[in-house]
Amino acid sequence: MKKMIRQSFMVLTLLFLVTSALPAVAATLALTIQPYQICDDDGTNCANSAKSLFEAEGDKIWAQAGIDLIFLPWITQNSSALNTLNMDTEFGGPAAGNIIRMLFVETITHCGGAGAGIFGCGYVDANGLAIADNVFSFNGGIGRLDTIAHELGHNLGLGHGDFGAGGALNLMTSGAVRTIPSSINDITPDGIGTDQLTQAQIDEATASGFLEPVQEVPEPASALLLLSCLVPVAAFWRRNRSND
């Protein structure tokens, strides 16, 4: 009996080591985005020449809600009219489709009645947003690192003053009040804790029809680790069965 108890304890210990070595398999939500680089009609004066998406910053911000930002390959579109964009006529209507249309333009002229100097514009529950080139020159070229994440929040149903927004460290607070991170290390839960989401904001955003569930799976290296750990377990049982 003591031998059986000892053997069972050793097997359980090995199984614990195996399972603890594997990464957690967690369900997440994916938000798929189609970025457009807008140029003038003749193909010149293209916005966002570096094709920057601040993806790492956006993923860190939206990880609070279990949302992963998925950017599709870039599409370049020549349209001088779009490159100087009136968002009140382009994306003021209801949502259409599940892939968010993200335009990178030289200038946004109108957004909900606001005038010049606009960094980004999106409307609550609408499918689409725009990001102006001044986002990338902000703060000596560091850029407004959370503007893309902020505008996507509008697409997911969040406004500037609802669901707990309004404080300087909240993602959805207006850009005139919101503390803008100077690096990814400023973003919550690190540094000065910028771009926070309240639980009410998370609940509202994760209910959006733009999101799709994603099931993460262990990487191939993790699967090999599991196999390598199970081999000695099997050998242990064979050895001890032969000794009984």
Side-chain angles (χ1 to χ4, degrees), residues 39-243:
C39 306
D40 284 343
D41 290 338
D42 60 0
T44 63
N45 199 31
C46 296
N48 192 1
S49 58
K51 293 186 175 179
S52 175
L53 294 168
F54 297 141
E55 186 172 2
E57 292 82 359
D59 278 336
K60 184 175 183 180
I61 291 168
W62 281 106
Q64 297 172 80
I67 296 172
D68 185 27
L69 306 182
I70 307 296
F71 289 95
L72 299 177
W74 284 82
I75 293 176
T76 298
Q77 183 174 345
N78 296 340
S79 171
S80 298
L82 287 179
N83 214 7
T84 303
L85 181 64
N86 182 339
M87 275 289 288
D88 292 343
T89 59
E90 182 65 23
F91 287 126
N98 291 328
I99 298 176
I100 300 295
R101 186 182 178 208
M102 180 180 290
L103 302 187
F104 289 89
V105 302
E106 181 184 19
T107 306
I108 301 172
T109 62
H110 295 82
C111 178
I118 302 166
F119 290 95
C121 185
Y123 294 99
V124 173
D125 293 326
N127 182 344
L129 67 145
I131 304 296
D133 263 356
N134 54 3
V135 161
F136 305 104
S137 59
F138 181 81
N139 195 13
I142 293 174
R144 291 178 70 100
L145 304 179
D146 60 359
T147 295
I148 292 175
H150 171 93
E151 301 303 340
L152 287 170
H154 290 316
N155 297 146
L156 296 177
L158 306 180
H160 288 158
D162 51 13
F163 304 105
L169 295 179
N170 188 273
L171 170 67
M172 295 312 301
T173 298
S174 172
V177 178
R178 188 172 76 253
T179 299
I180 308 299
S182 292
S183 78
I184 195 171
N185 296 322
D186 285 338
I187 296 171
T188 188
D190 301 319
I192 59 177
T194 65
D195 303 305
Q196 298 171 19
L197 291 168
T198 67
Q199 187 58 54
Q201 287 174 319
I202 291 171
D203 292 343
E204 178 68 16
T206 54
S208 172
F210 291 126
L211 299 172
E212 296 182 349
V214 173
Q215 184 67 40
E216 294 183 355
V217 297
E219 298 176 358
S222 299
L224 289 174
L225 175 62
L226 173 60
L227 180 62
S228 66
C229 291
L230 288 176
V231 168
V233 172
F236 170 83
W237 275 107
R238 285 198 302 271
R239 183 174 64 253
N240 284 275
R241 286 187 64 184
S242 64
N243 292 335

